[in-house]
Amino acid sequence: MSTHKHFIIDFDSTFTKVEALDALCAICVPDAQQRQKVLTEIQRLTDLGMEGEIPLTESLEKRLALLKANKSHINDLIEHLRGQISESFKLNKAFFEAYKEDIYIISNGFKEFIVPIVAELGVKPEHVFANSFVYDQDGNIIGFDRDNVLTQNQGKAKQIKSLGLEGEIYVIGDGFTDYEIKEAGIADKFYAFTENVKRDSVVNKADHVTPSLDEFLYVNKLPSALSYPKNRIKVLVLEGIHEHAINMFRQEGYNVEVIAGALEEDELCEKIHDVSIICIRSKTQLTAKAIAAAPRLMAVGAFCIGTNQIDLQTCTERGIVVFNAPYSNTRSVVEMAIGEIIMLSRGIVEKSNRMHNGEWDKSAKGSNEIRGKKLGIVGYGNIGSQLSVLAEGLGMEVYFYDVVDKLALGNAKVCNTLEELLSLADIVTLHVDGRPDNKNIIGAKEFDMMKEGVIFLNLARGHVVEIEALAQNIKSGKIRGAAVDVFPYEPKNNQESFESALKGLPNTLLSPHIGGSTEEAQENIAQYVPSKLIDYVNTGGSYNSVNFPNLQLPALRNAHRLIHIHRNVPGILAKINNALAENNINILGQYLKTNETIGYVITDVDTQYNRSVTKELKQIPDTIKSRALY
Ligand SMILES: NC(=O)C1=CN([C@@H]2O[C@H](COP(=O)(O)OP(=O)(O)OC[C@H]3O[C@@H](n4cnc5c(N)ncnc54)[C@H](O)[C@@H]3O)[C@@H](O)[C@H]2O)C=CC1
Ligand SMILES: O=C(O)C(=O)COP(=O)(O)O
């Protein structure tokens, strides 16, 4: 048997994003209210026809009668449809060009508008099989060609059969009538196309679901505009990440699964096995065990600042890039710290609670302005330094201590030791990162060094403070006010209850790790992190990643990009270039950066090259990951 392949493609909602008759309705029913009514009815009739609930002729007759369209409307329709060609079709013009002899459009629509639209991608007019309108003498559309085989039951199957095509027949469509071709035994395979609409009754019967043309081309090893279909990139989104991120991933064509809370290690290991990108916040522990359970993992999105919950070393060794949102919630934490410093200095929570119990205690005792007070910031990074600026604006005297040299902003004064800072500050606030070395950096000894009546804040990480020691010092009155947003153990989700030695202590503000949880911050994060992840997938760009050598790459134009991640040992670049030279491959641009663990090499090459070189690159010793991008 011949292995020649023929491709039968549906028009409405497959070749174009829309149903043409819906679009025609928008054109020829000028009154908006009336149009909506007609449109709803047309869509209902289309669905009934597509899902096989009523005969197609009946669906069509009723739709045309509702439309009352005229010849003059068809030109406007064609103009409109030109902008409605499905994205993955437009992208794969090269496939249509290369296979024009084998591509057929079989539709229950009308040649008058189908032929000019499919011609845009090079489909031959004689390969379009569809109906034709019947007009009256004034050009009004009054019906369709009832003799056309496509009006009959199983019309598409009959039409294709009459073409006598030899070889394999692949059908791509979104409707029941497309599936019928397979059912009639004419097609070898039916691919349910879901880029524009997804009809369960059709999807359930398909040999394969193709969310875009890229997937179809990929599984059939046909030339494709994309190196890898985006629907094959599975994204797992945990911990209530803002829906803007989810929309961005879906718009990009990724296959997204969303889970509201965090997952325990074992649950995560189960879920992560086919995931390419995982998106988490501060709760999910991405351990070496979880990473080992994720053979396809290529990127991690930390939708927060801290990355201490991620085993970064293992990610790097496995060639998995990690991005966080280093600045998106900075301001939110700072505003909360300022608010808490004022609330604690005035004992507002105590006073408020007492008033709720009917107690009126108007007094200035133990209430202070923050102006002129000494604020001691431990950790002068993005949050600490931003807090420094705002606190000075409120008239505070700012001191800071950091383990690395930092530029003092405004009039802030550097302390050379933690002891120095703790002994002079009226208010101590922690903004260090969550590295393991920072465990218990503030314990009994450090509280002893602080002034009597100090105010203490921790909005950094729970494990940096010894909770028992903090509780003791609040109880003894040494600490006259405390605000704690982060805890050594935090509930996994909003259903789990909160336990802590700090519960019920005086002038102690407890908050459920919400320093960065503002609408503004979460939306900013949900824009920033997905854009980094998508850029990494599409271009290999690693700029601002947490663990990869940072490369900012030019856009890929008229080139293929070979991405190579390897252990940082000598000689790998030479081996990559040897492989390219031996295959006569012309290098258009090359970028290399290394860190302590890995080397990251990007090579842009002419689009015509021996594809087997990608295998050779994978086989270079010490290679971690390698992919080709176009
Ligand atoms: N409560 C919340 O919702 C949020 C908490 N955070 C926490 O705040 C931390 C700080 O955030 P950024 O300022 O953006 O981070 P950053 O990395 O810009 O700053 C951290 C600073 O702490 C310094 N540092 C580290 N260990 C230290 C130590 N033992 N003593 C003194 N200085 C030390 C570092 O050198 C660095 O300058 C994050 O790592 C995260 O853990 C961040 C956002 C929201
Ligand atoms: O940004 C951070 O590091 C935070 O601590 C905020 O974490 P979250 O996104 O609220 O789990």
Side-chain angles (χ1 to χ4, degrees):
M1 187 181 141
S2 158
T3 54
H4 196 97
K5 287 178 181 150
H6 304 277
F7 308 105
I8 309 289
I9 303 176
D10 177 39
F11 184 74
D12 290 273
S13 299
T14 294
F15 199 102
T16 57
K17 297 175 196 170
V18 292
E19 291 287 321
L21 291 191
D22 293 356
L24 185 57
C25 172
I27 291 165
C28 62
V29 184
D31 176 68
Q33 245 184 351
Q34 179 63 10
R35 182 164 65 229
Q36 197 44 50
K37 267 195 215 155
V38 175
L39 203 56
T40 310
E41 186 56 10
I42 285 188
Q43 278 162 352
R44 192 182 72 85
L45 290 164
T46 306
D47 285 344
L48 288 179
M50 280 295 159
E51 281 159 18
E53 300 285 326
I54 59 171
L56 253 145
T57 41
E58 188 184 328
S59 161
L60 195 51
E61 248 166 35
K62 288 186 169 160
R63 281 183 280 159
L64 288 182
L66 279 167
L67 274 174
K68 299 193 185 68
N70 184 283
K71 215 171 204 166
S72 63
H73 296 128
I74 300 298
N75 279 346
D76 291 347
L77 175 64
I78 292 169
E79 269 324 297
H80 175 74
L81 291 179
R82 273 193 227 285
Q84 296 293 327
I85 296 174
S86 293
E87 295 301 327
S88 66
F89 277 56
K90 273 193 291 193
L91 201 67
N92 284 296
K93 197 165 182 195
F95 162 70
F96 285 92
E97 280 294 333
Y99 285 81
K100 60 160 53 132
E101 297 307 324
D102 309 309
I103 293 173
Y104 298 82
I105 306 295
I106 313 268
S107 166
N108 295 112
F110 294 86
K111 279 188 192 168
E112 282 89 335
F113 54 79
I114 296 178
V115 169
I117 298 302
V118 299
E120 299 261 315
L121 297 190
V123 176
K124 297 168 102 179
E126 61 272 31
H127 280 196
V128 176
F129 295 90
N131 212 312
S132 312
F133 289 124
V134 173
Y135 301 94
D136 67 11
Q137 55 215 28
D138 300 324
N140 296 316
I141 295 173
I142 51 167
F144 52 90
D145 173 13
R146 285 169 180 277
D147 295 335
N148 187 313
V149 69
L150 285 161
T151 60
Q152 298 171 15
N153 277 347
Q154 302 274 357
K156 286 190 174 183
K158 288 176 188 163
Q159 178 67 73
I160 296 165
K161 198 167 181 191
S162 74
L163 299 176
L165 303 175
E166 285 200 2
E168 287 182 274
I169 295 183
Y170 289 178
V171 175
I172 309 163
D174 62 286
F176 190 79
T177 56
D178 303 308
Y179 160 68
E180 276 182 346
I181 308 170
K182 169 83 195 294
E183 192 185 42
I186 308 292
D188 294 272
K189 276 200 174 145
F190 168 58
Y191 295 82
F193 184 78
T194 57
E195 184 168 315
N196 306 308
V197 285
K198 190 172 181 185
R199 303 175 207 274
D200 287 343
S201 57
V202 177
V203 162
N204 294 340
K205 291 188 178 324
D207 294 299
H208 195 94
V209 178
T210 183
S212 68
L213 193 61
D214 306 307
E215 168 74 9
F216 173 80
L217 299 175
Y218 182 80
V219 292
N220 288 300
K221 299 191 169 57
L222 291 161
S224 169
L226 286 183
S227 40
Y228 193 66
K230 298 198 172 173
N231 57 282
R232 293 196 163 226
I233 297 179
K234 181 163 179 193
V235 185
L236 180 60
V237 180
L238 305 177
E239 296 193 64
I241 286 168
H242 194 281
E243 65 179 24
H244 180 67
I246 295 153
N247 292 340
M248 278 181 75
F249 291 134
R250 292 216 163 113
Q251 233 159 34
E252 187 64 15
Y254 297 162
N255 173 3
V256 186
E257 182 177 356
V258 182
I259 295 177
L263 295 176
E264 295 289 4
E265 192 177 55
D266 285 346
E267 297 169 301
L268 185 60
C269 287
E270 248 176 61
K271 272 273 161 213
I272 207 169
H273 72 277
D274 58 348
V275 168
S276 309
I277 299 175
I278 184 161
C279 301
I280 59 171
R281 291 175 62 180
S282 63
K283 185 70 197 147
T284 304
Q285 302 299 307
L286 199 57
T287 58
K289 185 175 165 196
I291 296 165
R296 298 179 64 176
L297 196 62
M298 65 188 295
V300 177
F303 283 62
C304 51
I305 292 176
T307 50
N308 57 296
Q309 70 282 33
I310 301 167
D311 186 332
L312 289 175
Q313 186 57 28
T314 303
C315 282
T316 313
E317 284 162 9
R318 284 269 323 276
I320 298 162
V321 71
V322 180
F323 289 100
N324 70 341
Y327 321 115
S328 307
N329 63 19
T330 309
R331 175 70 190 216
S332 299
V333 179
V334 171
E335 285 188 11
M336 191 157 118
I338 294 274
E340 291 185 327
I341 292 169
I342 297 173
M343 299 283 272
L344 295 171
S345 299
R346 304 289 287 270
I348 301 282
V349 177
E350 294 281 309
K351 288 188 170 78
S352 171
N353 286 345
R354 278 156 58 196
M355 281 192 67
H356 282 287
N357 287 325
E359 228 181 291
W360 181 267
D361 176 20
K362 184 173 162 70
S363 121
K365 196 164 173 285
S367 242
N368 297 100
E369 287 187 350
I370 61 166
R371 180 170 47 167
K373 300 294 176 300
K374 293 189 171 73
L375 175 66
I377 300 173
V378 184
Y380 202 65
N382 294 319
I383 294 177
S385 56
Q386 172 89 188
L387 175 61
S388 166
V389 173
L390 265 67
E392 274 202 349
L394 290 167
M396 300 187 85
E397 218 178 294
V398 176
Y399 294 82
F400 70 87
Y401 167 70
D402 200 293
V403 282
V404 296
D405 286 340
K406 291 280 174 173
L407 169 69
L409 300 180
N411 297 315
K413 295 175 197 69
V414 63
C415 293
N416 292 321
T417 61
L418 180 62
E419 293 74 7
E420 185 187 340
L421 180 135
L422 297 180
S423 60
L424 63 78
D426 300 310
I427 297 143
V428 173
T429 184
L430 305 185
H431 300 288
V432 299
D433 55 65
R435 66 184 76 173
D437 285 358
N438 280 342
K439 187 170 163 61
N440 292 340
I441 54 166
I442 305 290
K445 189 167 114 245
E446 287 71 27
F447 286 119
D448 281 350
M449 292 176 196
M450 294 182 200
K451 283 181 168 172
E452 266 314 299
V454 68
I455 284 174
F456 177 79
L457 285 84
N458 181 14
L459 285 82
R461 280 292 176 265
H463 68 265
V464 304
V465 177
E466 258 182 71
I467 288 289
E468 281 302 331
L470 173 60
Q472 284 308 323
N473 280 279
I474 297 173
K475 281 183 202 154
S476 73
K478 164 136 198 184
I479 294 176
R480 73 168 171 112
V484 185
D485 187 46
V486 286
F487 304 87
Y489 176 80
E490 293 175 5
K492 189 172 69 161
N493 52 41
N494 289 351
Q495 281 66 52
E496 194 180 325
S497 64
F498 168 70
E499 293 306 330
S500 170
L502 301 175
K503 271 165 66 173
L505 298 188
N507 205 18
T508 301
L509 280 172
L510 301 180
S511 51
H513 199 151
I514 45 149
S517 294
T518 60
E519 299 269 349
E520 292 85 350
Q522 293 307 311
E523 201 171 334
N524 287 342
I525 293 172
Q527 171 64 33
Y528 181 85
V529 182
S531 64
K532 297 308 270 179
L533 292 165
I534 291 167
D535 184 54
Y536 177 72
V537 172
N538 289 345
T539 74
S542 59
Y543 190 69
N544 262 0
S545 85
V546 177
N547 64 333
F548 259 41
N550 276 209
L551 278 183
Q552 203 168 14
L553 296 163
L556 192 59
R557 283 199 191 91
N558 298 326
H560 281 206
R561 182 163 282 173
L562 305 174
I563 295 183
H564 195 266
I565 308 166
H566 52 266
R567 277 179 276 284
N568 189 5
V569 294
I572 302 283
L573 186 62
K575 285 177 186 149
I576 292 173
N577 287 342
N578 267 346
L580 298 176
E582 276 163 20
N583 283 279
N584 258 330
I585 294 173
N586 186 30
I587 296 177
L588 301 174
Q590 193 165 49
Y591 316 86
L592 159 74
K593 239 181 180 178
T594 58
N595 63 19
E596 276 174 12
T597 314
I598 58 168
Y600 191 44
V601 177
I602 308 285
T603 312
D604 289 351
V605 298
D606 271 337
T607 53
Q608 301 304 320
Y609 63 98
N610 180 0
R611 297 287 193 268
S612 67
V613 77
T614 54
K615 264 200 196 127
E616 287 179 40
L617 295 182
K618 278 190 205 303
Q619 281 158 3
I620 293 175
D622 291 304
T623 296
I624 300 172
K625 271 184 168 51
S626 176
R627 63 183 168 123
L629 202 64
Y630 52 90

